[in-house]
Amino acid sequence: MRNFKPNEEWGVYESNVQAYRSNFLSSQSILLAVGAITYANSFILTTIIAVISVIQIWYIWFRVIYVRTQILDYHKYAMNTIFDKKGNIRDERTNPQNYLSEQTYIRDKSVRKEVYKNMTSIWGRQENFHTLRLTRIKFDILIPASMTLIWLVLVGFSLATYITH
């Protein structure tokens, strides 16, 4: 099993991810409170708030957090010191121009897939390495999914109230 020496930046990226999660949860809480206040009185307003919120969850929140966790992993595991720009384990003869860059790791899914495969083998663990590990799945998929479900229920109740009045 290989010991990883994180780049110094990884702590900053970890803090950024936590701050982004906190900011998104706060904004969703505010929007949800507004939606709960309006649901019985205005189906249209509740629906508009819900649509804005769900777009914010999946188009902004999830995408930002996912990319930020990739950047975090890149620095935490010092991937530029381990991999070349194709995701292969590099050796000391690798030209520095061919080291894996942060942008390549983030933007090129096939390179990332190769890094994941190689990371799993050099990490010496049974489970496959990937960005969305169990804790991140809980925070970055299950929480947004449950918030989306709450919005759907709220809009459903608002519609039922609208129809019955």
Side-chain angles (χ1 to χ4, degrees):
M1 184 160 129
R2 183 181 180 126
N3 291 322
F4 297 102
K5 184 173 173 19
N7 291 346
E8 295 162 6
E9 297 95 342
W10 89 271
V12 172
Y13 289 111
E14 175 70 29
S15 295
N16 285 344
V17 167
Q18 298 308 328
Y20 291 150
R21 284 178 181 143
S22 177
N23 288 337
F24 285 129
L25 284 171
S26 296
S27 68
Q28 281 298 306
S29 296
I30 291 166
L31 289 167
L32 193 54
V34 172
I37 291 167
T38 65
Y39 95 92
N41 300 321
S42 178
F43 169 69
I44 293 171
L45 184 57
T46 303
T47 303
I48 290 169
I49 295 168
V51 167
I52 290 169
S53 297
V54 170
I55 288 170
Q56 186 184 79
I57 290 169
W58 295 107
Y59 186 73
I60 299 172
W61 180 358
F62 179 77
R63 291 174 64 167
V64 167
I65 295 297
Y66 185 69
V67 169
R68 290 294 167 184
T69 56
Q70 289 175 331
I71 293 170
L72 170 61
D73 283 349
Y74 176 84
H75 291 285
K76 184 175 183 177
Y77 297 105
M79 291 181 181
N80 62 319
T81 66
I82 302 170
F83 302 106
D84 66 17
K85 64 183 180 181
K86 293 183 179 177
N88 299 313
I89 299 171
R90 68 177 179 87
D91 59 30
E92 58 280 341
R93 295 172 293 162
T94 304
N95 183 325
Q97 293 177 331
N98 291 325
Y99 292 178
L100 179 63
S101 72
E102 181 183 288
Q103 291 302 318
T104 301
Y105 176 72
I106 291 164
R107 292 186 176 153
D108 192 328
K109 192 173 184 174
S110 63
V111 168
R112 205 167 44 254
K113 188 175 179 181
E114 191 65 24
V115 167
Y116 292 168
K117 183 183 81 172
N118 287 318
M119 194 73 152
T120 299
S121 70
I122 62 174
W123 198 347
R125 293 191 176 178
Q126 293 293 342
E127 67 272 1
N128 292 330
F129 182 88
H130 48 83
T131 299
L132 288 173
R133 297 183 286 279
L134 185 58
T135 300
R136 289 181 181 167
I137 289 171
K138 290 175 183 177
F139 275 100
D140 302 331
I141 294 179
L142 294 181
I143 289 175
S146 65
M147 293 180 97
T148 302
L149 182 61
I150 290 168
W151 278 111
L152 292 173
V153 168
L154 189 66
V155 168
F157 274 103
S158 181
L159 177 61
T161 302
Y162 177 74
I163 291 172
T164 60
H165 286 98

